[in-house]
Amino acid sequence: MAPVQVKKICCIGAGYVGGPTCAVIALKCPQIEVTIVDLNQARIDAWNDKDFNLPIYEPGLEDVVRAARGRNLFFSTEVDKAIQDADLIFVSVNTPTKKGGVGAGFAADLNYIELATRQIAKVSNSSKIVVEKSTVPCRTAESMRTILEANSKPGCRFDILSNPEFLAEGTAIDDLFAPDRVLIGSLQTQEGKDACESLRSVYANWVPTERILTVGLWSSELSKLAANAMLAQRISSINALSAICEATGANIDEVAHAVGYDSRMGNKFLKASVGFGGSCFQKDILNLVYLSETLHLPEVAAYWKQVVTMNEHQKRRFSKRVVDTLFNTITGKRIAVLGFAFKADTGDTRESAAITLIRDFVAERAIVNVYDPKVVEEQIWLDLEESIPQPLAATKKQVVIHKSALEACKNAEAVIIATEWKEFLQIDWTEVYKHMNKPAFVFDGRLIVDVPKLTEIGFKVTSIGRGDKA
Ligand SMILES: NC(=O)c1ccc[n+]([C@@H]2O[C@H](COP(=O)([O-])OP(=O)(O)OC[C@H]3O[C@@H](n4cnc5c(N)ncnc54)[C@H](O)[C@@H]3O)[C@@H](O)[C@H]2O)c1
Ligand SMILES: O=c1ccn([C@@H]2O[C@H](COP(=O)(O)OP(=O)(O)O[C@H]3O[C@H](CO)[C@@H](O)[C@H](O)[C@H]3O)[C@@H](O)[C@H]2O)c(=O)[nH]1
């Protein structure tokens, strides 16, 4: 058997990964027809929106969809048809942390992967290359293969590949256009290598050959968890050091700069913050912790768990510092939280540190003014309903969503910068100061404000990783 030349691709899951990834494949490979399917009708309708109000905010995404949609890129809820037509299928469904049962709170919930796999087996009338795009525990491909082989029709063969995605939200399109690497894992059999070559030739339309890495299936699956764990570990390391800075008068930006100058270390992912968020880091580390435990490696599990523990500590430390600084009480005080997304340039709020901060402020009976340039109001209420242990109606008496940073800061005692949106660099702090109660406090959870300038205006500024002794 020779490698199949891919003509039709189906992507199951039109989310943050499936949507942008396969839209870029369609753009870069006009000879391939790409259909992205989802069970969620509203999501597919938004992808097909005539005014391009897409379900995801991602810089550059609209241009990609405008160029390819209707040409060789299609969004549909007809899952079975897209599976039947395709010769290569990406499985890009969600793999959240399990909420109940064995491994609750740690293991990945593989129910969506299993349902999608069973659907592929059930409806396929011809052979397919099935590609794990979702982030999954090591050896998930084996379970997929068992399910596919046990349910396949005569004459249908399934080759499974692992092709984890490394894009970061907010820079997804740039990351997809020029990835550091594309990783493809396959069985080291002739069939496995042929399937790998088929997928490699899709990416080779725009990714330089030396950046397409081909490895064994299990290495590929584990590499994804490893990459996220090690990236998050850097943030927890710098955040742990930020606590020492606050107590000693050292400055975390200076420490990060000095450390990152070492070419063995590099200067990326060393920005101290109020804590990492996003749908991946915590979930994937907990997944690695669970994997280590099931492999009877408790020391390894404890090592990785500490990265998440440190992150929780950072968030809690930050909200405590706010309360301590505001004379040990924020009851009835107005606190402006600028930013609700987990990072700039995305509307995604999953595991955002802002949610934890607002939860803590609400528990202290503060009034919280929220502003984010991209997160829709409905999403903020959904997140707060889920995270604050009181009825939403009660939360709505304490939290107000605003349409601008200036409006959110009016009559506040303190401003919290929770997301590093570029527009927060342009805030007219003199104007903000005029409308705040005095003393006026700013707590910079992202290290973006000009501390001397704000201090000169009259603000009392507290930054992560900078102590009062600075
Ligand atoms: N978000 C990221 O930046 C990112 C980056 C790299 C990897 N990942 C991984 O990629 C996977 C997907 O993440 P996401 O953020 O895109 O999730 P998401 O929740 O945004 O999207 C998943 C989509 O799959 C759909 N779906 C689930 N089961 C289905 C089925 N049987 N048939 C059709 N559609 C189905 C859901 O309706 C949903 O729209 C996860 O494993 C995640 O860990 C995410
Ligand atoms: O120096 C830094 C860098 C990031 N962050 C925070 O870390 C979180 C995650 O940021 P980032 O990694 O940029 O975004 P994600 O979209 O979560 O991307 C991560 O998770 C994806 C999903 O698995 C992977 O594909 C990416 O490679 C990996 O970077 C955010 O809250 C950031 O604010 C910091 O606090 N300091």
Side-chain angles (χ1 to χ4, degrees):
M1 233 183 76
V4 172
Q5 200 197 342
V6 178
K7 295 198 185 78
K8 287 194 180 182
I9 288 178
C10 161
C11 173
I12 305 180
Y16 285 86
V17 167
T21 308
C22 286
V24 167
I25 291 179
L27 182 81
K28 299 289 186 182
C29 311
Q31 73 284 13
I32 300 177
E33 187 178 303
V34 179
T35 305
I36 306 177
V37 293
D38 205 294
L39 300 171
N40 182 334
Q41 183 71 54
R43 213 162 202 186
I44 291 299
D45 289 348
W47 282 110
N48 283 323
D49 184 69
K50 65 178 177 22
D51 299 318
F52 292 87
N53 290 316
L54 305 179
I56 292 168
Y57 171 69
E58 191 63 62
L61 177 62
E62 186 182 324
D63 292 343
V64 174
V65 176
R66 274 184 189 275
R69 198 179 72 187
R71 180 188 75 178
N72 64 327
L73 172 64
F74 305 93
F75 295 93
S76 165
T77 48
E78 288 185 60
V79 179
D80 293 357
K81 182 174 182 320
I83 292 174
Q84 281 162 356
D85 289 351
D87 23 50
L88 184 145
I89 301 167
F90 283 107
V91 178
S92 195
V93 300
N94 35 330
T95 50
T97 306
K98 267 182 97 172
K99 287 198 171 140
V102 177
F106 288 90
D109 182 348
L110 295 175
N111 190 35
Y112 302 97
I113 292 272
E114 177 162 346
L115 290 176
T117 308
R118 285 187 182 278
Q119 197 67 12
I120 294 170
K122 187 174 152 204
V123 305
S124 291
N125 298 318
S126 58
S127 298
K128 315 278 176 203
I129 297 172
V130 178
V131 185
E132 264 177 5
K133 183 51 104 176
S134 302
T135 305
V136 289
C138 204
R139 296 199 84 89
T140 300
E142 192 168 29
S143 314
M144 290 173 78
R145 188 154 53 100
T146 307
I147 291 169
L148 289 167
E149 282 174 1
N151 294 285
S152 63
K153 296 190 186 114
C156 291
R157 70 165 277 125
F158 296 101
D159 288 294
I160 318 252
L161 299 174
S162 158
N163 172 221
E165 184 48 60
F166 295 101
L167 68 79
E169 289 180 27
T171 55
I173 300 301
D174 288 346
D175 294 344
L176 290 165
F177 279 5
D180 283 351
R181 79 315 209 171
V182 165
L183 184 62
I184 306 175
S186 68
L187 284 181
Q188 298 305 300
T189 56
Q190 192 53 49
E191 291 86 351
K193 288 179 184 171
D194 285 347
C196 178
E197 178 51 30
S198 296
L199 181 58
R200 202 199 62 78
S201 64
V202 172
Y203 284 109
N205 281 286
W206 80 98
V207 180
T209 312
E210 67 276 12
R211 288 189 183 263
I212 305 177
L213 314 182
T214 56
V215 298
L217 259 180
W218 324 125
S219 303
S220 175
E221 289 177 334
L222 186 58
S223 298
K224 175 63 197 178
L225 298 184
N228 272 357
M230 291 180 76
L231 287 168
Q233 179 201 47
R234 276 172 78 95
I235 304 172
S236 277
S237 297
I238 207 74
N239 283 343
L241 290 164
S242 77
I244 299 179
C245 288
E246 287 162 31
T248 57
N251 176 327
I252 195 62
D253 265 348
E254 291 176 354
V255 173
H257 182 67
V259 170
Y261 232 82
D262 188 324
S263 61
R264 292 171 300 176
M265 214 101 65
N267 60 6
K268 292 185 181 152
F269 263 70
L270 285 179
K271 192 78 183 163
S273 69
V274 66
F276 61 73
S279 63
C280 295
F281 280 173
Q282 179 174 305
K283 161 175 86 72
D284 295 348
I285 295 169
L286 294 175
N287 195 333
L288 193 59
V289 170
Y290 185 70
L291 182 70
S292 310
E293 273 168 3
T294 55
L295 296 170
H296 308 294
L297 301 167
E299 293 81 4
V300 179
Y303 175 78
W304 290 114
K305 177 87 193 319
Q306 189 59 25
V307 174
V308 174
T309 305
M310 187 61 229
N311 196 48
E312 288 304 310
H313 177 63
Q314 185 75 348
K315 291 186 269 184
R316 215 163 312 121
R317 224 168 56 72
F318 188 84
S319 34
K320 182 173 182 305
R321 206 167 171 210
V322 173
V323 177
D324 290 353
T325 309
L326 290 176
F327 316 110
N328 296 311
T329 174
I330 56 171
T331 301
K333 292 181 182 171
R334 204 171 284 278
I335 312 285
V337 175
L338 303 186
F340 195 86
F342 80 93
K343 65 183 278 198
D345 287 328
T346 178
D348 196 349
T349 61
R350 291 177 286 181
E351 305 296 339
S352 178
I355 300 173
T356 312
L357 299 183
I358 295 170
R359 186 198 63 198
D360 290 352
F361 299 154
V362 165
E364 295 284 343
R365 290 180 288 137
I367 306 295
V368 185
N369 286 355
V370 183
Y371 167 68
D372 187 282
K374 281 291 171 207
V375 180
V376 293
E377 202 170 318
E378 194 189 352
Q379 185 62 48
I380 296 180
W381 292 129
L382 276 173
D383 289 329
L384 295 183
E385 182 170 30
E386 201 179 292
S387 65
I388 301 179
Q390 66 179 18
L392 185 60
T395 300
K396 284 190 171 182
K397 288 189 182 140
Q398 276 181 268
V399 178
V400 187
I401 300 170
H402 289 272
K403 298 254 178 285
S404 75
L406 188 61
E407 202 187 292
C409 295
K410 271 191 186 147
N411 302 320
E413 315 272 336
V415 177
I416 314 295
I417 297 178
T419 313
E420 70 286 17
W421 283 104
K422 271 196 204 81
E423 73 165 68
F424 299 158
L425 296 172
Q426 319 295 330
I427 289 175
D428 180 348
W429 287 107
T430 309
E431 190 61 22
V432 169
Y433 187 73
K434 267 193 229 159
H435 299 283
M436 282 180 65
N437 288 350
K438 311 294 179 318
F441 294 88
V442 170
F443 294 87
D444 186 0
R446 294 293 183 168
L447 295 172
I448 60 169
V449 305
D450 182 341
V451 179
K453 189 174 143 199
L454 265 68
T455 308
E456 201 183 306
I457 294 170
F459 284 106
K460 296 196 176 302
V461 185
T462 301
S463 302
I464 295 267
R466 282 184 213 171
D468 303 329
K469 293 181 199 158

